[in-house]
Amino acid sequence: MCAFKQSETDQARIAEALIASLDVPTDREVELAWRTEIDKRLHEIDNGTVKCVPWEEVRDRLYRNANVQR
């Protein structure tokens, strides 16, 4: 069976099954650590403890730093 000869719906199902087969079981401790960090950062933003930087500014800094280091 050639996947390319299947209907678009079947191709999508095949692709979905292939991608799902790559999923690695999650480590509960890692997930908990990420959740804790995300909650901490959201709390800091909500309280005004940290200042968010707009994406455009971050992007410009990255480009400047990349050009300087070359």
Side-chain angles (χ1 to χ4, degrees), residues 2-53:
C2 178
F4 294 112
K5 293 182 180 179
Q6 304 302 312
S7 70
E8 287 184 12
T9 301
D10 287 341
Q11 286 181 24
R13 287 182 180 141
I14 292 167
E16 182 181 7
L18 287 170
I19 291 169
S21 73
L22 297 174
D23 287 344
V24 181
T26 57
D27 182 331
R28 289 185 187 271
E29 289 183 32
V30 171
E31 291 296 319
L32 179 59
W34 272 114
R35 173 52 47 202
T36 301
E37 183 65 22
I38 291 167
D39 290 343
K40 178 187 135 230
R41 290 181 185 203
L42 288 172
H43 181 72
E44 291 172 341
I45 292 168
D46 290 341
N47 287 339
T49 310
V50 296
K51 177 186 168 206
C52 294
V53 179

